[in-house]
Amino acid sequence: PISKFKHPSDNVTDEDKENVESKKRVLSSDSETGLEEVDSKKSKVEPSSEAENEKREADENLEKEEAAKEESTESVEYTDILPPSPQDVRESIKQKFLVSMPEDFYQFYEFCKGLNSENPSAALDTAGLKLCGPYDVLSGRIGKDKPRSAALYLRHYRYYYDPPEFQTVITTTDTKEDSPLFHMGYFRDSPQEAPVFVAANSAREGGKIVPMADNLFGAVYQHLAKRMEASDPFTRTRLAGLQEKVKLYANRLIINGADNEFSLEAKTPGMKQRDRKKVS
């Protein structure tokens, strides 16, 4: 099946364990506190209805599933565990993904923090997008209890058709079974060099990689423009508002004399020059 790879799900949380334990307790009229743990096989409490009997059976099945899930997670052993993460977050990302992220990667995260300080990864939810991949390291979304496997990090949010040159950093929030699995990311000609452009792919529709712009601001700006062409008036208004915020932030960086200027054009001079060097 066409899908993406992510780190394994979290282990059973304390809340989950508490919920499981609560299912092992039944109300007893003979108990002074009203709560008493009872072995279901030895309990003399008769089910008052067929519905209660079905619920009890469902609870028992849930306990078995949780136990099997926990046993499965604990049984996995990784032989490619990374050393402790560097204190510098940029070096930490490079340790895990083996490439240095360009400046627009970090500036775009600051932009998203301005839109949603509590959860920057969800700042683009209006457009049905979210930050992912290396952004999960930057935002601390990959828990410390996760296995520090080098292979897991390199496959984190890698879709079926993504070539080694492509690194996903933004993906769709559409989780429906027929989702086109749209995602955007950096495309590099060499892992030692900066990305040559930001591209997009819809894994459900095949392996075509479409250049969007030479940075994330431009890529998201162009994506929103394309979305607006096929949207209803209400959705178009929401997308236009987000697009304007992207434009204002990129222009403000130029006005404030930032070292890097982020073009919103779909085809920059650098991208055109690269096209001329390609061999058909």
Side-chain angles (χ1 to χ4, degrees):
I2 298 175
S3 61
K4 60 179 175 297
F5 180 90
K6 295 192 294 184
H7 271 70
S9 302
D10 289 332
N11 292 333
V12 179
T13 63
D14 292 337
E15 183 179 355
D16 293 331
K17 293 177 180 177
E18 184 178 344
N19 290 336
V20 172
E21 289 299 322
S22 67
K23 291 164 185 172
K24 297 178 181 177
R25 297 193 295 267
V26 297
L27 192 61
S28 173
S29 58
D30 295 333
S31 173
E32 294 180 358
T33 61
L35 290 175
E36 181 180 1
E37 292 191 4
V38 180
D39 188 328
S40 61
K41 294 183 179 179
K42 298 179 181 179
S43 174
K44 298 180 181 179
V45 179
E46 296 294 336
S48 59
S49 68
E50 183 178 351
E52 288 185 13
N53 193 35
E54 291 179 354
K55 183 179 183 303
R56 181 177 300 172
E57 184 177 348
D59 289 344
E60 292 176 355
N61 290 336
L62 178 61
E63 290 182 33
K64 292 178 181 178
E65 291 176 5
E66 293 292 348
K69 184 188 300 183
E70 187 171 0
E71 182 180 353
S72 175
T73 302
E74 293 177 349
S75 65
V76 177
E77 294 184 3
Y78 298 94
T79 59
D80 57 346
I81 300 300
L82 293 171
S85 299
Q87 292 297 318
D88 187 310
V89 68
R90 299 190 180 214
E91 290 300 317
S92 179
I93 291 175
K94 184 177 182 179
Q95 176 202 52
K96 297 167 179 61
F97 296 95
L98 306 183
V99 292
S100 296
M101 305 307 293
E103 188 59 31
D104 66 283
F105 173 84
Y106 299 101
Q107 285 291 347
F108 195 78
Y109 188 71
E110 293 301 316
F111 164 70
C112 290
K113 284 171 64 177
L115 298 181
N116 188 337
S117 59
E118 294 185 358
N119 186 8
S121 296
L124 306 178
D125 188 64
T126 300
L129 300 172
K130 67 177 180 179
L131 306 185
C132 67
Y135 276 123
D136 288 343
V137 174
L138 184 59
S139 63
R141 291 175 64 85
I142 299 179
K144 294 181 179 180
D145 60 330
K146 297 289 188 180
R148 294 177 50 78
S149 163
L152 287 184
Y153 278 109
L154 291 177
R155 297 201 301 269
H156 187 62
Y157 268 97
R158 180 164 294 280
Y159 285 77
Y160 186 81
Y161 289 110
D162 291 353
E165 296 87 348
F166 188 87
Q167 180 184 32
T168 301
V169 294
I170 296 177
T171 189
T172 180
T173 58
D174 184 359
T175 58
K176 296 193 296 291
E177 188 173 347
D178 61 346
S179 168
L181 300 178
F182 176 85
H183 54 290
M184 292 190 287
Y186 292 110
F187 192 94
R188 292 175 170 84
D189 287 334
S190 168
Q192 284 76 39
E193 299 175 1
V196 290
F197 53 74
V198 176
N201 168 255
S202 295
R204 185 77 63 187
E205 300 169 2
K208 185 177 182 180
I209 302 292
V210 182
M212 302 285 288
D214 76 348
N215 66 85
L216 285 178
F217 290 95
V220 171
Y221 185 88
Q222 294 297 330
H223 173 68
L224 293 173
K226 185 176 181 180
R227 281 280 310 279
M228 285 189 289
E229 294 176 359
S231 298
D232 59 76
F234 180 75
T235 303
R236 192 180 304 121
T237 300
R238 290 190 291 106
L239 295 178
L242 179 57
Q243 187 190 48
E244 185 64 19
K245 292 176 182 178
V246 172
K247 180 180 179 180
L248 288 175
Y249 192 92
N251 289 340
R252 192 179 299 121
L253 290 175
I254 298 175
I255 295 173
N256 292 340
D259 294 335
N260 297 278
E261 297 183 5
F262 304 122
S263 171
L264 301 179
E265 297 179 10
K267 204 80 167 179
T268 62
M271 294 172 67
K272 294 177 182 177
Q273 183 178 4
R274 179 180 179 277
D275 287 343
R276 289 193 289 269
K277 294 179 180 180
K278 289 192 298 186
V279 178
S280 306

